[in-house]
Amino acid sequence: MASTPKVSVCIPTFNGAGYISGALDSVLQQKYQDFEVIIVDNCSMDQTEALVAELSSQSGKICFFRNEQNIGLAGNLNKCLEHARGEYIKYLCVDDLLLPDCLEQMAAGLDAHPAVSLVCGGRLSIDESGQPFGLRRYSSRMEVIPGSRVITRCLFGGNFIGEPTAVMFRKSDMRARFRDDLPQLMDMEMWFRLLEGGELLNIETPICSIRFHEAQMTRGNIKSGRLIEDNIRLFNEFSQKPYLQVTPWLVIRHKLLMTYRVWVSRKFITRETRRTVLMRFGIRFVYPLMPVISSVLALKRTFARRAG
């Protein structure tokens, strides 16, 4: 492509042949068409390359690259950035989908708000077959929020911003790289870095679909205990930042959340790890109540899915 596109849609993939056609189709059908598609294959052993070659014949917007060796997810996310030529970066995980007005809404948001360093939008939760079962979003209204406030909320409460598929940002604002020492929270750490230099624009309507399935990396990170490790590492690195707006309720909420995370990972971490994490970051006497609390949360999620 001779002209420089406004948006680079970056698709890092590894053995994503089962999803790549759907992901690409969701990009090519966007209302907003000033984009390129950067696909970086991390040494897949399936038919990904052949499928992309076939689809590339239908569109000149697709650029395919294959790594010489597997460089991990963080490395592949960074490699996408190296190949991207666009002013704005839009990631799309290979098993996710963009809704038709995703690029239009997010690019317009960055165009209209120079102080915004990160745009996020609502995301539909879909199952393996693509059926929606829920909606997640930062908030229920379109708004611009100071970055420090967003970091505070997410550090003490979880990733309300969303996965890489749910955000867009300026390439020029990227002053760091995705970290391979944070296998689960590499995205949230990057959002924090971006928000240290600007504001968040929240789009309340759904702009993408996030697929949940058994092969997801999150499940493996829970089983390995890396989810707990990432949360501790990120909290230790950011909890003393002077711009945080911490309240006693946020502290209690974080302790309850860490207690819940330990309970979720209870089968995969040692007793010593459980004891240490609960003592430093959780609430030990609440831990025995987690089966009841988990059941209540499951019921709440079920009702939310039905309502959605």
Side-chain angles (χ1 to χ4, degrees), residues 51-156:
L51 287 170
V52 173
E54 181 180 346
L55 293 166
S56 296
S57 65
Q58 305 170 24
S59 173
K61 295 179 179 290
I62 301 172
C63 303
F64 180 83
F65 303 91
R66 181 178 172 86
N67 298 328
E68 294 183 0
Q69 60 184 14
N70 191 306
I71 57 176
L73 176 57
N76 213 28
L77 289 168
N78 293 324
K79 185 62 68 174
C80 285
L81 284 173
E82 294 175 16
H83 292 300
R85 300 181 300 129
E87 179 182 353
Y88 299 159
I89 301 298
K90 179 74 195 81
Y91 279 105
L92 172 58
C93 297
V94 71
D95 45 0
D96 298 336
L97 302 169
L98 301 185
L99 299 184
D101 59 352
C102 174
L103 298 186
E104 182 178 55
Q105 289 197 69
M106 301 190 99
L110 287 174
D111 288 342
H113 300 282
V116 164
S117 56
L118 188 66
V119 181
C120 71
R123 53 217 195 268
L124 295 174
S125 299
I126 60 175
D127 61 20
E128 175 67 31
S129 64
Q131 293 300 308
F133 62 84
L135 169 65
R136 296 173 296 149
R137 53 192 175 185
Y138 184 86
S139 75
S140 59
R141 61 178 179 173
M142 174 85 77
E143 59 181 334
V144 175
I145 312 108
S148 59
R149 188 191 305 171
V150 179
I151 295 171
T152 303
R153 183 188 182 199
C154 292
L155 184 66
F156 285 85

Side-chain angles (χ1 to χ4, degrees), residues 110 113-119 144-152 161 169-170 173-175 190-201 243 245:
L110 287 174
H113 300 282
V116 164
S117 56
L118 188 66
V119 181
V144 175
I145 312 108
S148 59
R149 188 191 305 171
V150 179
I151 295 171
T152 303
I161 299 167
F169 53 88
R170 295 179 180 85
D173 286 336
M174 284 286 291
R175 298 181 178 87
M190 180 59 73
W191 310 159
F192 286 2
R193 298 297 180 189
L194 287 165
L195 290 168
E196 285 183 321
E199 300 170 327
L200 175 76
L201 170 63
Y243 54 72
Q245 303 156 26

Side-chain angles (χ1 to χ4, degrees), residues 2-294:
S3 61
T4 302
K6 184 78 169 184
V7 178
S8 291
V9 179
C10 299
I11 307 179
T13 182
F14 173 69
N15 288 342
Y19 304 106
I20 190 67
S21 296
L24 270 174
D25 189 53
S26 76
V27 180
L28 298 177
Q29 292 187 20
Q30 289 293 298
K31 296 176 182 178
Y32 183 94
Q33 285 290 306
D34 189 5
F35 66 83
E36 65 177 356
V37 183
I38 302 296
I39 302 173
V40 183
D41 183 69
N42 210 9
C43 298
S44 293
M45 296 171 286
D46 58 11
Q47 298 300 309
T48 294
E49 186 169 2
L51 287 170
V52 173
E54 181 180 346
L55 293 166
S56 296
S57 65
Q58 305 170 24
S59 173
K61 295 179 179 290
I62 301 172
C63 303
F64 180 83
F65 303 91
R66 181 178 172 86
N67 298 328
E68 294 183 0
Q69 60 184 14
N70 191 306
I71 57 176
L73 176 57
N76 213 28
L77 289 168
N78 293 324
K79 185 62 68 174
C80 285
L81 284 173
E82 294 175 16
H83 292 300
R85 300 181 300 129
E87 179 182 353
Y88 299 159
I89 301 298
K90 179 74 195 81
Y91 279 105
L92 172 58
C93 297
V94 71
D95 45 0
D96 298 336
L97 302 169
L98 301 185
L99 299 184
D101 59 352
C102 174
L103 298 186
E104 182 178 55
Q105 289 197 69
M106 301 190 99
L110 287 174
D111 288 342
H113 300 282
V116 164
S117 56
L118 188 66
V119 181
C120 71
R123 53 217 195 268
L124 295 174
S125 299
I126 60 175
D127 61 20
E128 175 67 31
S129 64
Q131 293 300 308
F133 62 84
L135 169 65
R136 296 173 296 149
R137 53 192 175 185
Y138 184 86
S139 75
S140 59
R141 61 178 179 173
M142 174 85 77
E143 59 181 334
V144 175
I145 312 108
S148 59
R149 188 191 305 171
V150 179
I151 295 171
T152 303
R153 183 188 182 199
C154 292
L155 184 66
F156 285 85
N159 187 1
F160 298 101
I161 299 167
E163 301 80 358
T165 299
V167 308
M168 180 185 284
F169 53 88
R170 295 179 180 85
K171 186 177 182 181
S172 60
D173 286 336
M174 284 286 291
R175 298 181 178 87
R177 294 170 64 84
F178 288 95
R179 291 168 46 180
D180 56 13
D181 65 328
L182 291 169
Q184 180 62 34
L185 299 183
M186 65 179 74
D187 54 352
M188 191 159 75
E189 193 269 349
M190 180 59 73
W191 310 159
F192 286 2
R193 298 297 180 189
L194 287 165
L195 290 168
E196 285 183 321
E199 300 170 327
L200 175 76
L201 170 63
N202 175 65
I203 299 171
E204 80 283 12
T205 55
I207 51 87
C208 65
S209 297
I210 307 295
R211 195 184 307 269
F212 288 81
H213 55 88
E214 289 298 323
Q216 280 182 309
M217 183 176 291
T218 298
R219 299 181 185 275
N221 287 334
I222 291 174
K223 293 181 178 180
S224 68
R226 283 177 287 191
L227 176 61
I228 296 290
E229 294 171 3
D230 275 18
N231 275 287
I232 292 173
R233 183 176 291 114
L234 196 64
F235 187 79
N236 285 338
E237 291 181 11
F238 280 87
S239 60
Q240 300 304 313
K241 297 283 187 175
Y243 54 72
L244 294 181
Q245 303 156 26
V246 183
T247 64
W249 162 241
L250 283 177
V251 174
I252 295 172
R253 180 179 182 178
H254 181 257
K255 287 181 176 294
L256 289 170
L257 185 57
M258 287 300 293
T259 305
Y260 176 73
R261 287 167 176 161
V262 170
W263 185 81
V264 169
S265 302
R266 65 194 182 281
K267 297 179 180 178
F268 313 109
I269 59 177
T270 65
R271 288 185 178 180
E272 179 61 26
T273 297
R274 183 179 68 189
R275 186 187 69 82
T276 301
V277 174
L278 288 174
M279 183 177 296
R280 292 186 57 196
F281 301 99
I283 306 176
R284 295 181 67 180
F285 70 83
V286 174
Y287 182 80
L289 303 176
M290 277 299 138
V292 176
I293 295 173
S294 179

